[in-house]
Amino acid sequence: MDPAGGCPHALNARLRAEGTVAEVVLPGGVPGAVVLGHEALKEFLAHPDAAKDARHFPGLHDGTVPADWPLRVFANAQGMHTADGADHRRLRSLVGNAFTARQVERLRPRVEELADELLDGLARAAEGSADGVADLRTHFALPLPMGVICELLGVDPRHRGRLHELSHTVIISTDIPPAEVVAAVRELVELIATIAAARRADPGEDLTSALIAARDGDGDRLSEAELIGTMRLMLVAGHETTLNLISNAVRALCTHRDQLDLVLDGRASWSDVVDETLRWDGPVSWFPFRYPTRDLSVDGTLIPRGTPVLAGYTAAGRDPAVHGPDADRFDVTRPGAARNLSFGHGAHYCVGAPLARLEATIALERLFTRFPGLDLAVPETELPHQRSFIGNSVEALPVRLGKP
């Protein structure tokens, strides 16, 4: 698999033609597998013998996988996304209450306020440019989810820019030299530790302070590594994926004006747009890793014990066996689009899914209500795709706002 990634859909189609599970060679020459079909992926994600803990990946520890393997950062990460069983339940319970549908709905006024402020800034950026063009990712799609998750965690605004740069290097840019990744991981961990220390010294009404103070039924608390890992997960996943989701939805609507008209005319909802975008062009292409704890048969294909397996979210989203022969078509009225697996499935279903949906629906509604004539400033084929096989979006999204 190409570490520089690019648009995943052509590769997905080729792999799906061979079956719902495929053998691949991961960047760095490590043998692995991908699960591509919707039903096969749903089965695999919920399988009790598909573990997240890298101790079930023998090659990582016996010298088979080199120390500078570029994807080692994903396997070595600590937090609820790499924990299993009771450890996972304990860690998830400490953060889950902050992301319930009821708790997230309480954030609606603040998300709406922040969205309107950012749209003012987007308009100023367009007016201040010589050609009336502004980058929607820079001025809107990024600072909205980043601002919300940082406010939730009590992060000083001065850290936000660097947090995004580091998380993008560690998680999204899968084609940079391993030494740069290691350095970025080290700096990211140090910065998150600094944020945690500030909240420990001066607790507030934020999630970081709550995590530091939290105890389970036996009085246990998060270890420092668990605290840092949990904060890292929330900071990175809490903005990178929503950034891509908003960007991909805007691209889809700008290149399918008939679908945008359906929403503006009230014949479809912004939630429909979010569901169809998650299905048709989800924010994550291939998500690492799960490891079978025994030889595992998935939809008739054997995945050997200890194989690092990627979840093929964008591939499953266009599976014609589930979404029909027109699965490659963007259709906001499509029945069953909400069945997409872009937020996962089973015990590791994304805890932040309600927040991501809220942010994306508010962002799209506010953006296109204010600027219904918004359009891409360059042909879609000229937009630079993320150099990643994990993240799925573009690096920049230049737009013209049109008349309000």
Side-chain angles (χ1 to χ4, degrees):
M1 300 186 72
D2 184 357
C7 182
H9 299 298
L11 172 61
N12 290 344
R14 291 199 303 271
L15 290 173
R16 268 199 318 266
E18 300 175 8
T20 59
V21 180
E23 294 181 3
V24 296
V25 178
L26 300 168
V30 174
V34 295
V35 183
L36 307 143
H38 176 100
E39 293 300 327
L41 182 57
K42 188 175 179 180
E43 173 192 350
F44 181 70
L45 292 175
H47 203 291
D49 296 318
K52 294 282 283 181
D53 192 325
R55 65 187 178 89
H56 296 289
F57 180 16
L60 202 66
H61 314 290
D62 63 11
T64 304
V65 176
D68 63 350
W69 185 43
L71 301 187
R72 187 178 281 271
V73 60
F74 297 99
N76 286 344
Q78 288 186 292
M80 63 183 177
H81 61 307
T82 56
D84 297 308
D87 279 343
H88 173 252
R89 289 190 293 273
R90 177 176 64 89
L91 293 171
R92 190 180 178 99
S93 69
L94 292 172
V95 302
N97 288 339
F99 294 99
T100 64
R102 176 180 294 182
Q103 287 294 94
V104 165
E105 186 59 30
R106 292 179 180 177
L107 297 173
R108 179 179 293 275
R110 177 56 183 144
V111 177
E112 292 175 339
E113 178 185 32
L114 182 56
D116 290 339
E117 292 172 1
L118 292 171
L119 288 176
D120 290 341
L122 179 68
R124 288 193 296 271
E127 291 167 2
S129 67
D131 54 2
V133 173
D135 182 8
L136 187 132
R137 281 176 70 89
T138 298
H139 295 286
F140 185 63
L142 166 61
L144 179 64
M146 176 59 102
V148 172
I149 195 64
C150 284
E151 287 184 13
L152 272 176
L153 288 166
V155 176
D156 191 310
R158 64 191 173 93
H159 295 313
R160 295 178 186 178
R162 189 57 180 157
L163 279 171
H164 172 65
E165 292 171 1
L166 292 170
S167 69
H168 197 77
T169 299
V170 172
I171 303 299
I172 301 299
S173 302
T174 51
D175 69 331
I176 66 173
E180 291 185 26
V181 176
V182 171
V185 170
R186 184 179 300 112
E187 185 181 348
L188 179 60
V189 169
E190 291 173 352
L191 180 53
I192 292 173
T194 298
I195 295 166
R199 298 276 58 81
R200 187 177 285 110
D202 184 20
E205 299 296 320
D206 55 82
L207 187 51
T208 300
S209 299
L211 288 172
I212 291 169
R215 301 287 190 279
D216 65 15
D218 297 323
D220 290 336
R221 62 190 298 175
L222 289 172
S223 69
E224 187 68 9
E226 289 173 336
L227 174 65
I228 299 302
T230 300
M231 291 177 63
R232 172 176 154 184
L233 172 65
M234 290 190 292
L235 282 165
V236 174
H239 85 277
E240 288 282 4
T241 53
T242 309
L243 160 62
N244 284 357
L245 173 57
I246 294 170
S247 300
N248 292 358
V250 171
R251 279 193 302 135
L253 292 170
C254 286
T255 53
H256 299 81
R257 307 299 297 195
D258 59 323
Q259 300 298 301
L260 176 58
D261 289 342
L262 290 175
V263 187
L264 294 177
D265 293 345
R267 289 173 286 168
S269 70
W270 296 110
S271 293
D272 293 332
V273 174
V274 170
D275 283 334
E276 180 65 349
T277 303
L278 287 167
R279 181 203 71 81
W280 184 73
D281 201 22
V284 175
S285 289
W286 309 95
F287 193 78
F289 286 116
R290 279 175 169 79
Y291 318 96
T293 58
R294 61 175 176 83
D295 291 351
L296 201 60
S297 179
V298 177
D299 198 22
T301 298
L302 181 69
I303 306 178
R305 182 182 68 86
T307 301
V309 182
L310 297 171
Y313 291 129
T314 53
R318 296 196 185 189
D319 185 352
V322 171
H323 297 292
D326 67 342
D328 285 334
R329 183 169 64 91
F330 182 73
D331 178 5
V332 298
T333 66
R334 181 183 301 276
R339 296 172 57 195
N340 73 81
L341 299 172
S342 284
F343 288 122
H345 178 67
H348 282 272
Y349 181 82
C350 177
V351 70
L355 179 58
R357 287 183 178 278
L358 179 79
E359 291 171 339
T361 52
I362 289 174
L364 295 170
E365 187 271 335
R366 286 296 213 262
L367 176 67
F368 284 103
T369 298
R370 182 164 172 178
F371 304 111
L374 180 142
D375 207 352
L376 301 180
V378 300
E380 186 186 20
T381 54
E382 296 181 12
L383 294 173
H385 207 280
Q386 285 184 333
R387 295 185 60 79
S388 172
F389 74 94
I390 293 175
N392 173 47
S393 192
V394 291
E395 289 287 357
L397 192 58
V399 298
R400 287 191 173 88
L401 301 183
K403 295 181 179 179

